[in-house]
Amino acid sequence: MNSGIFNILSSVIGEYLSLRADNFKKELIAGLSVALSRALALIVIMTLVLITLALFAYAFFLLLGELMGSMTGAAFTVAGIYLILIIVLILVRKRLFLNVFKKFFTSIITRKPMDRR
């Protein structure tokens, strides 16, 4: 009699674990698809922003070159502005990048199935 109960119990536990593993796989795939789609969107947006920034930098370089009368001086001025911007970004990189991505991936991992949109 005990062996029948154990067989039923082990069958139910095995089925439960199989369902939990399937659910975990589905949640993992859903989380990864959200992460990859957002990463792809971020890459596209950043590419457009960088192209726009490069065009504005070139226009600023030409304008500054005409105002200063020296294209070399304008080039060094624009390069200096970019150097200052790079230093500022390096100094605030943790607040600006790491914390944002940490919160993003934590929210993906800890969301429940009902929270998915």
Side-chain angles (χ1 to χ4, degrees):
M1 177 136 184
N2 284 341
S3 65
I5 292 174
F6 286 126
N7 287 339
I8 293 171
L9 187 59
S10 66
S11 172
V12 169
I13 290 173
E15 199 173 316
Y16 172 76
L17 291 176
S18 175
L19 289 174
R20 292 291 292 176
D22 288 343
N23 188 39
F24 175 74
K25 290 175 190 175
K26 288 177 186 175
E27 288 295 315
L28 182 64
I29 290 170
L32 287 175
S33 66
V34 168
L36 289 176
S37 67
R38 288 187 180 178
L40 182 61
L42 183 66
I43 288 170
V44 169
I45 291 170
M46 290 304 296
T47 301
L48 292 174
V49 167
L50 287 175
I51 290 171
T52 305
L53 183 63
L55 289 174
F56 274 113
Y58 183 67
F60 182 66
F61 160 73
L62 291 177
L63 177 68
L64 197 60
E66 286 182 21
L67 292 175
M68 290 177 66
S70 170
M71 293 301 233
T72 306
F76 279 118
T77 304
V78 171
I81 291 171
Y82 273 107
L83 187 62
I84 291 170
L85 182 64
I86 288 170
I87 290 170
V88 168
L89 285 175
I90 288 172
L91 292 176
V92 296
R93 72 183 179 272
K94 282 190 179 182
R95 273 189 286 156
L96 192 61
F97 299 112
L98 285 178
N99 292 339
V100 171
F101 286 115
K102 185 169 42 173
K103 287 178 187 176
F104 169 68
F105 286 118
T106 302
S107 71
I108 288 175
I109 292 170
T110 59
R111 271 196 298 194
K112 293 185 173 48
M114 302 288 279
D115 294 342
R116 298 260 183 240
R117 289 180 209 152

